């Protein structure tokens, strides 16, 4: 499979503080890569650098070999990079349906674009029954799990080349968390390219083709999910930096692919 | 009883004009999270421009609105783009207070230089005419002003509710980061939002100049009222702003008619304090927060 995304020695940070100290990472077309690591390792920062919310310091971010570093989030979106952020990202006072349509904001400036957005929205409503059932409900009235499903559906409206999912299961109750990983699995089966960040290492790696362990702003290990879960260094990294025990605990919701 | 109803009518008509002025303020606060201290000065600037067009070219004050509004739209968008946009995100809300106050002082200075500080009013032939309906007097200018306000507010509601730009504005108000991730250009929306807020000041300015006498310092009095209305309505709620403006108008008029005109202005702030004691979030603050 050709390489879709490549990070070469990327540094980035907030203000004077550098969070990423030279991240190297590649992601093949159609691959799901799960980025794990302790709190503060810079996992979300990697996603923000790729989506353009945060500027790259040194190094380069390439999509199909084309450098992205000077492009705005909007221009990256036009190239097919969609990010679902960790925090809730629906517009709470808008209806579920309007939230979904906002996913096609870039396209709906023209009449034909609007038609296309509606066609895609209808198709997504068949895939995500929630969208049709709660169509007119205000997004703020949905449960956390339902909101995440709408966010994932909305991200699909642009038919993205690359999806960046930042801790999609965080703060959700077990059933909703399972639903999120089921959706990620279904997207992977569709051949979507996904860069997934997960605190819940077991579930994240189970849903991914490959994993990468980030620690203190650098990629320390890469490998298949099973390799990483069996690697004693992963456990040590997790327990060493801030005592994140999730990698150690058996997760009842994990699935092997 | 007659006096009370007459006061309520006057209050509603006056409140309609304040609703227009304050809706621009609310829009700007909603989109930019900026308390725009220049809104009063923009209204007074518009009143002067309208007055000049009327005096020099004989253009009816109401017809000056389509001329003055685009000019203020551009001025507002420029203020946002050149002065507010460069502010660093972390301290933007405090610094923007100073910046918009500086803009207000700048406008006041220019107006004083050009027009001097004498009071003036815009006096078209129908300025003092009124209709009598069922024994109640309704000033032509005030009624037309109120209707203009309603029309502009209606247009604003349609713009926000039905258009692509409106969706971008509402999205930005409710979740700026998410809006940006979906391709909404936050800076552009902010500039257009500020421009639109300033343009509503233009419509209000022409009307203000016909109803009240004004000089370049009048914006201090105006901004304190506008801020009271916006806070009373629940910061960032357009519907709340309109209700608050009408309530303020009626209370002021009633106090003026039934107690004494001296207490009329003061009552404005008493109502604000009383409401905030009971509902610190303003009339519609909690229910419609973020909805605009």
């Amino acid at each position: 499979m050709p390489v879709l995304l490549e990070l070469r020695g990327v540094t980035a940070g907030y203000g004077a503080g550098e969070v990423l100290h030279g991240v190297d990472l590649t992601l093949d077309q159609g691959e799901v890569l799960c980025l794990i690591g302790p709190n503060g390792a810079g996992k979300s920062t990697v996603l923000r650098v790729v989506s353009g919310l945060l500027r790259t310091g040194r190094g380069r971010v390439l999509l199909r070999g084309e450098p992205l570093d000077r492009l705005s989030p909007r221009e990256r979106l036009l190239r097919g990079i969609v990010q679902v952020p960790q925090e809730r990202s629906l517009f709470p006072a808008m209806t579920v349906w309007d939230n979904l349509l906002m996913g096609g904001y870039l396209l709906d400036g023209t009449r034909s674009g609007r038609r296309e957005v509606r066609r895609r929205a209808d198709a997504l409503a068949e895939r995500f029954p929630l969208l049709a059932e709660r169509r007119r409900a205000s997004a703020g009235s949905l449960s956390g799990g339902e909101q995440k499903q709408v966010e994932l559906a909305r991200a699909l409206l642009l038919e993205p080349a690359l999806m960046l999912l930042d801790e999609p299961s965080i703060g959700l109750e077990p059933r909703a968390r399972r639903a999120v990983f089921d959706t990620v699995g279904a997207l992977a089966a569709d051949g979507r390219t996904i860069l997934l960040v997960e605190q819940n290492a077991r579930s994240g790696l189970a849903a991914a083709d490959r994993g990468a362990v980030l620690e203190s702003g650098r990629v320390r290990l890469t490998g298949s999910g099973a390799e990483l879960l069996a690697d004693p260094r992963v456990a040590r990294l997790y327990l060493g930096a801030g005592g994140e025990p999730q990698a150690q605990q058996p997760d009842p919701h994990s699935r092997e692919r | 009883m007659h006096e009370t109803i007459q006061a309520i009518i006057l209050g509603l008509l006056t409140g309609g004009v304040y609703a227009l002025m304050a809706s621009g303020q609310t829009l700007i606060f909603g989109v930019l999270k900026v308390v725009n201290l220049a809104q009063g000065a923009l209204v007074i600037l518009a009143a002067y421009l309208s007055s000049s067009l009327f005096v020099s070219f004989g253009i009816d004050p109401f017809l000056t609105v389509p001329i003055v509004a685009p000019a203020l739209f551009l001025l507002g968008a420029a203020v946002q783009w050149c002065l507010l946009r460069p502010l660093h995100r972390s301290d933007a809300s405090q610094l923007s207070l100073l910046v918009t106050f500086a803009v207000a002082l700048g406008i006041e200075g220019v107006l004083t230089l050009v027009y001097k500080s004498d009071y003036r009013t815009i006096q078209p032939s129908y300025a003092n005419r009124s209709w009598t309906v069922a024994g109640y007097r309704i000033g032509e200018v005030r009624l037309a002003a109120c209707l203009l306000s309603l029309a502009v507010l209606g247009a604003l509601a349609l713009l926000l509710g039905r258009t692509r730009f409106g969706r971008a504005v509402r999205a930005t108000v409710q979740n700026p980061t998410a809006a940006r991730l979906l391709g909404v250009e936050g800076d552009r929306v902010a500039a257009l939002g500020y421009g639109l807020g300033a343009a509503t000041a233009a419509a209000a300015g022409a009307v203000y100049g016909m109803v009240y006498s004004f000089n370049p310092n009048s914006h201090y009095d105006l901004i304190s009222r506008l801020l009271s209305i916006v806070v009373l309505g629940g910061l960032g709620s357009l519907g709340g702003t309109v209700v608050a403006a009408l309530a303020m108008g009626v209370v002021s008029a009633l106090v003026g008619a039934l107690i004494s005109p001296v207490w009329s202005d003061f009552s404005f702030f008493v109502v604000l304090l009383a409401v905030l004691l009971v509902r610190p979030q303003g009339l519609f603050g909690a229910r419609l927060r973020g909805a605009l």
Side-chain angles (χ1 to χ4, degrees):
Chain A
M1 278 290 184
V3 172
L4 181 74
L5 178 76
E6 190 176 354
L7 275 73
R8 284 190 202 152
V10 169
T11 69
Y14 306 90
E18 199 176 81
V19 178
L20 304 182
H21 306 295
V23 169
D24 296 299
L25 204 63
T26 57
L27 186 57
D28 290 342
Q29 183 92 41
E31 188 182 34
V32 178
L33 184 127
C34 180
L35 205 54
I36 60 169
N39 270 340
K43 303 185 297 290
S44 298
T45 308
V46 170
L47 297 193
R48 292 169 72 86
V49 163
V50 177
S51 70
L53 281 182
L54 197 64
R55 289 266 173 206
T56 315
R58 294 183 304 280
R60 307 190 95 177
V61 180
L62 307 157
L63 186 78
R64 297 190 189 95
E66 182 202 3
L68 296 177
D69 307 287
R70 292 183 180 281
L71 302 181
S72 68
R74 180 187 167 92
E75 288 163 322
R76 296 180 199 211
L77 200 60
L78 283 168
R79 282 162 177 74
I81 300 179
V82 172
Q83 183 182 357
V84 179
Q86 184 186 121
E87 59 277 10
R88 297 201 169 163
S89 68
L90 293 185
F91 306 110
M94 286 192 199
T95 63
V96 166
W97 197 252
D98 281 348
N99 265 281
L100 178 64
L101 294 180
M102 273 306 289
Y105 178 77
L106 271 185
L107 300 179
D108 70 2
T110 62
R111 193 182 289 264
S112 62
R114 264 195 298 281
R115 263 204 304 273
E116 178 60 18
V117 168
R118 286 187 206 288
R119 189 190 65 73
R120 291 185 192 180
D122 288 337
L124 282 169
E126 284 183 18
R127 178 166 187 176
F128 295 85
L130 172 75
L131 296 173
E133 288 159 16
R134 305 296 302 276
R135 187 184 170 110
R136 291 182 196 287
S138 70
S141 70
L142 266 53
S143 71
E146 290 173 328
Q147 292 196 24
K148 196 47 87 176
Q149 291 293 333
V150 177
E151 288 176 42
L152 290 170
R154 186 176 68 181
L156 287 170
L157 205 96
L158 280 183
E159 297 181 351
L162 170 64
M163 293 180 83
L164 308 170
L165 307 183
D166 195 352
E167 307 223 15
S169 73
I170 200 167
L172 299 183
E173 44 98 18
R175 202 155 51 98
R177 209 164 53 188
R178 207 157 44 234
V180 163
F181 284 113
D182 284 347
T183 304
V184 172
L187 295 174
D190 286 355
R192 295 259 167 226
T193 313
I194 300 174
L195 181 51
L196 171 70
V197 160
E198 255 305 323
Q199 188 66 249
N200 191 326
R202 220 166 257 282
S203 300
L205 289 173
D209 300 306
R210 211 155 50 88
V213 181
L214 198 71
E215 192 220 11
S216 307
R218 284 195 181 86
V219 175
R220 299 290 187 193
L221 290 168
T222 55
S224 74
E227 282 166 13
L228 288 181
L229 285 173
D231 194 317
R233 286 174 296 175
V234 173
R236 204 170 50 241
L237 273 176
Y238 263 64
L239 291 171
E244 291 293 337
Q246 282 106 322
Q248 299 288 290
Q249 289 172 347
D251 183 341
H253 313 301
S254 67
R255 307 180 286 126
E256 292 303 323
R257 276 157 55 87
Chain B
M1 191 60 197
H2 182 275
E3 203 179 354
T4 308
I5 292 175
Q6 178 70 62
I8 290 173
I9 291 171
L10 178 70
L12 286 174
L13 294 176
T14 310
V17 179
Y18 274 104
L20 183 57
M21 290 190 256
S23 63
Q25 181 89 340
T26 297
L27 181 68
I28 290 172
F29 180 80
V31 179
L32 284 87
K33 300 287 173 281
V34 162
V35 176
N36 178 32
L37 293 180
Q39 189 72 359
L42 288 168
V43 172
I44 300 300
L45 170 65
Y48 271 106
L49 292 176
S50 180
S51 162
S52 285
L53 287 169
F54 171 64
V55 172
S56 305
F57 302 101
I59 303 172
D60 183 276
F62 282 105
L63 296 180
T64 62
V65 174
I67 304 169
V68 178
L72 257 67
F73 176 87
L74 291 178
L75 176 66
V79 165
Q80 196 285 327
W81 198 260
C82 302
L83 302 177
L84 294 172
R85 189 174 59 103
L87 297 180
H88 198 271
R89 218 168 277 274
S90 60
D91 46 21
S93 52
Q94 291 96 329
L95 282 181
S96 63
L97 272 177
L98 291 179
V99 169
T100 57
F101 188 54
V103 170
L105 292 181
I107 291 173
E108 179 191 336
V110 170
L111 290 178
T112 309
L113 211 64
V114 176
Y115 295 102
K116 309 292 176 266
S117 55
D118 303 331
Y119 275 90
R120 62 162 76 188
T121 50
I122 306 174
Q123 287 278 349
S125 56
Y126 51 83
N128 297 317
R129 286 212 301 255
S130 61
W131 289 300
T132 306
V133 180
Y136 298 106
R137 214 166 54 82
I138 300 174
E140 275 184 31
V141 166
R142 279 181 194 263
L143 181 65
C146 194
L147 292 178
L148 175 70
S149 295
L150 290 178
V152 174
L153 285 171
L156 202 58
L158 279 179
L159 185 74
L160 290 174
R162 296 288 170 86
T163 66
R164 183 167 185 263
F165 168 69
R167 271 189 289 132
V169 169
R170 283 185 293 139
T172 305
V173 169
Q174 292 173 37
N175 195 333
T177 308
R180 221 171 133 217
L181 282 173
L182 295 174
V184 175
E185 289 166 307
D187 285 338
R188 205 166 139 259
V189 166
L192 292 175
Y194 199 113
L196 217 55
T200 62
V207 167
Y208 186 87
M210 284 186 277
V211 179
Y212 303 99
S213 60
F214 57 95
N215 81 351
N217 294 326
S218 303
H219 71 99
Y220 294 108
D221 178 48
L222 204 49
I223 193 65
S224 60
R225 287 166 194 254
L226 295 185
L227 288 177
S228 309
I229 289 170
V230 169
V231 171
L232 181 66
L235 281 163
S237 156
L238 266 187
T241 301
V242 172
V243 172
L246 294 175
M248 288 286 204
V250 169
V251 169
S252 283
L254 279 176
V255 170
L258 305 179
I259 302 171
S260 156
V262 176
W263 294 104
S264 166
D265 283 346
F266 183 63
S267 66
F268 219 71
F269 301 104
V270 172
V271 171
L272 175 71
L273 288 175
V275 171
L276 289 186
L277 277 176
V278 186
R279 279 183 68 83
Q281 71 274 40
L283 290 175
F284 294 87
R287 195 158 58 83
L288 295 173
R289 170 124 318 141
L292 206 71

